[in-house]
Amino acid sequence: MTATPVRVRFAPSPTGYLHVGGARTALFNWLFARQHGGVFLLRIEDTDKARSTEESTRAIFDGLRWLGLDWDEPVVYQGADENLARHQRDARAILDAGKAYRCFCTATELNERRAAAESRKESFRYDRRCDRLAADEVARRVAAGEPHTIRFRVPEGSTGWRDLVHDDIAFPNKDIEDFVILRSDGTPIYNLAVVSDDIAMRITHVMRGDDHISNTPKQILLYQALGAPLPVFAHFPMIHGMDGKKLSKRHGATAVGDYQHLGILPQAMCNFLALMGWSPGGDREVMTMAEMIALFSETGLLKKASVFDTKKLEWMNGQHLAMMPLDALAPDITARLVADGLATAAELDARHDRYLRALDALRTRVRSLNELASQLPTYLRLVYDPAVVRKAWPDAAAAAEIVAQARELVATQPWDPPAIEAALRAVAESRALGVGKVLGPVRMALTGSASSPGISEVLHILGKDEAVARLDQARAYLAGASA
């Protein structure tokens, strides 16, 4: 017998940005589908018309595309007319099967009873008074057009399931109030819409955050009332901030788009999010998307909440920057340099080889695309910041002498940057100076900065002709400063 193909879904509400918790849920569903050769679907739960916006929907699409999480069938919009009609049919099918009843209680009446229960320090639950109405009375009220909801009649017993993350979970049905499944205006309540949609979309696994655990027994009861097979459920623990509380805006950026703008690579973000609730086994941390697909398994899903550590994300991003193919990295950096006015396309083209050498050398020293882009212009053009100059060259005459000696070594020695750096260190020893007293002024001459990769690496990036030209420029600058 052929196994049922895996079909999973990510079902966000378009009422805001794609936050990291939602992105993690989407990623786990996507990895599960890809690992099992299944189907990953996207459903936009836009039944809240007052809060749903096209801007939020676009942000969800953009975030998923940036992460590389592609969906396999056309997007489903929960609020579409054909879906609303199905939700209403399913609610009435449950009613006709005797598993639900019409409730004529108004919102005002329910609020009054709730307030009375609170005054008695009792928890309020619906008392099923409308379920006790005679059939002819119900028919009369319906014929008169009296507004009413449809309430699900919760049976006795308990409702449980085997969760892929939390193992066995069960709820006593006595703790579940008869809940509304269709409002008086004919629109569905969340739990009915979700179940109706998941059945229609043939979802085999419902994988989501564990804030939905309390919804699951209600949804299971609705599956059973509709005579549909249950999907497998998996509920991922929440993501917490460093203070141990649920991740929110107070912890800093929580939107996926924010991290894109901060210079995080999508593959690094996916790698980081994958470890927020899943372990591939062993001490393995840095993985490509292909490796995550191959390794992903429900047995590695974690029961405890994970901590969103921004420093760990930055480290992870640095690892992916270092191993990313240069020809894949260069276009993004080029676009950032040009967009931020740090370099022109013509300038990058004219210094193409030097640009790539700098890119290759610097990417192992930074943690973000933004940091990398900010350091690259130094190797395309030399600009002296007077404040940095005063610190790096406090004695212009002494600095000029050291720069002149460096220029002589660079111009006359065989082009071997490590050997030239070693010769400069020997100069420091011969002068009984600290190495920094010699390499610092040379670094300033070559880069216009007080910090950089090692001198030999800087020389390699610049090439002999550019290095000589920059040392000559520094000598001229220092001659003017000491005159």
Side-chain angles (χ1 to χ4, degrees):
M1 184 175 179
T2 304
T4 303
V6 165
R7 290 176 65 87
V8 295
R9 48 69 166 181
F10 175 52
S13 298
T15 55
Y17 53 79
L18 176 64
H19 56 80
V20 295
R24 192 271 306 264
T25 295
L27 174 64
F28 280 1
N29 276 276
W30 186 88
L31 288 172
F32 188 77
R34 297 293 174 261
Q35 211 278 336
H36 289 279
V39 177
F40 173 70
L41 304 173
L42 177 60
R43 181 172 74 230
I44 301 298
E45 298 194 334
D46 56 348
T47 51
D48 186 345
K49 299 300 183 184
R51 297 175 60 223
S52 299
T53 67
E54 290 185 12
E55 182 182 5
S56 294
T57 301
R58 285 195 301 272
I60 291 167
F61 292 163
D62 291 345
L64 293 174
R65 289 186 180 114
W66 176 67
L67 291 169
L69 307 182
D70 52 329
W71 47 95
D72 300 311
E73 293 180 7
V75 176
V76 172
Y77 292 88
Q78 188 174 67
D81 290 345
E82 62 271 22
N83 293 329
L84 175 59
R86 173 172 33 78
H87 300 153
Q88 293 169 340
R89 287 196 303 273
D90 284 346
R92 293 190 178 103
I94 295 172
L95 179 67
D96 293 344
K99 298 180 188 235
Y101 55 92
R102 301 180 194 272
C103 177
F104 299 91
C105 298
T106 66
T108 299
E109 291 170 339
L110 292 171
N111 287 335
E112 289 173 351
R113 290 177 216 157
R114 185 173 290 106
E118 289 175 357
S119 68
R120 298 191 301 269
K121 297 183 179 180
E122 298 173 357
S123 58
F124 173 77
R125 60 183 294 118
Y126 186 67
D127 59 8
R128 287 186 170 176
R129 63 181 61 193
C130 286
D131 194 24
R132 297 191 291 273
L133 292 174
D136 58 348
E137 174 65 9
V138 171
R140 183 190 68 76
R141 291 190 176 194
V142 171
E146 190 170 332
H148 62 275
T149 62
I150 295 178
R151 278 186 187 271
F152 185 81
R153 184 185 297 108
V154 177
E156 295 182 355
S158 65
T159 301
W161 70 96
R162 180 75 172 177
D163 197 271
L164 284 182
V165 179
H166 298 283
D167 301 324
D168 291 321
I169 301 177
F171 285 77
N173 287 358
K174 65 181 178 60
D175 294 338
I176 305 172
E177 179 185 43
D178 284 3
F179 53 96
V180 173
I181 58 176
L182 199 70
R183 299 182 182 92
S184 58
D185 63 0
T187 59
I189 293 295
Y190 170 78
N191 284 312
L192 174 70
V194 165
V195 170
S196 179
D197 290 344
D198 283 345
I199 293 171
M201 294 169 69
R202 308 191 309 283
I203 300 301
T204 61
H205 296 72
V206 173
M207 307 174 76
R208 55 195 179 185
D210 63 9
D211 53 333
H212 282 284
I213 284 179
S214 61
N215 286 321
T216 304
K218 297 177 182 179
Q219 292 173 11
I220 288 174
L221 290 170
L222 291 173
Y223 274 102
Q224 293 170 341
L226 289 167
L230 294 180
V232 176
F233 289 97
H235 292 90
F236 314 125
M238 292 291 97
I239 298 176
H240 289 172
M242 294 295 289
D243 58 0
K245 297 179 180 179
K246 183 179 176 182
L247 191 68
S248 67
K249 289 182 179 180
R250 70 176 179 275
H251 295 105
T254 57
V256 167
D258 291 339
Y259 289 98
Q260 180 181 1
H261 296 309
L262 289 171
I264 299 298
L265 290 166
Q267 58 268 41
M269 192 71 188
C270 284
N271 190 168
F272 178 74
L273 288 176
L275 298 177
M276 298 285 98
W278 169 69
S279 171
D283 296 325
R284 188 164 190 168
E285 289 191 303
V286 181
M287 295 168 283
T288 64
M289 291 292 275
E291 289 169 336
M292 286 189 282
I293 290 171
L295 293 167
F296 193 79
S297 169
E298 57 269 30
T299 59
L301 293 171
L302 306 177
K303 293 179 172 65
K304 293 183 178 179
S306 299
V307 174
F308 193 97
D309 184 346
T310 303
K311 295 297 183 186
K312 182 66 175 288
L313 172 58
E314 291 171 355
W315 172 84
M316 181 74 72
N317 201 52
Q319 299 301 303
H320 280 271
L321 275 170
M323 68 184 193
M324 189 175 181
L326 199 59
D327 59 354
L329 177 60
D332 192 340
I333 293 296
T334 297
R336 286 171 186 267
L337 288 170
V338 173
D340 294 342
L342 297 173
T344 65
E347 188 176 22
L348 294 172
D349 187 57
R351 297 167 175 79
H352 182 70
D353 291 343
R354 190 197 311 166
Y355 168 46
L356 292 184
R357 288 196 301 270
L359 185 59
D360 195 29
L362 294 173
R363 64 182 173 144
T364 61
R365 299 170 55 86
V366 300
R367 297 293 179 90
S368 75
L369 294 170
N370 292 357
E371 189 181 356
L372 180 54
S374 71
Q375 293 187 19
L376 277 164
T378 293
Y379 300 91
L380 302 174
R381 67 174 87 94
L382 183 62
V383 178
Y384 292 135
D385 180 341
V388 179
V389 166
R390 284 192 296 271
K391 186 175 180 180
W393 291 336
D395 184 337
E401 187 177 343
I402 291 170
V403 170
Q405 197 160 2
R407 196 267 185 203
E408 184 67 16
L409 286 169
V410 170
T412 61
Q413 294 292 315
W415 184 242
D416 183 348
I420 293 171
E421 180 175 348
L424 287 169
R425 290 177 179 274
V427 168
E429 292 179 9
S430 69
R431 292 176 172 235
L433 295 172
V435 171
K437 297 288 187 181
V438 171
L439 297 188
V442 175
R443 174 176 288 107
M444 181 66 199
L446 291 171
T447 68
S449 173
S451 63
S452 73
I455 293 297
S456 65
E457 199 165 5
V458 171
L459 291 171
H460 168 71
I461 293 170
L462 295 175
K464 182 174 182 176
D465 291 344
E466 179 66 16
V468 169
R470 290 191 174 200
L471 291 165
D472 283 338
Q473 184 178 340
R475 289 171 66 197
Y477 185 98
L478 286 164
S482 59

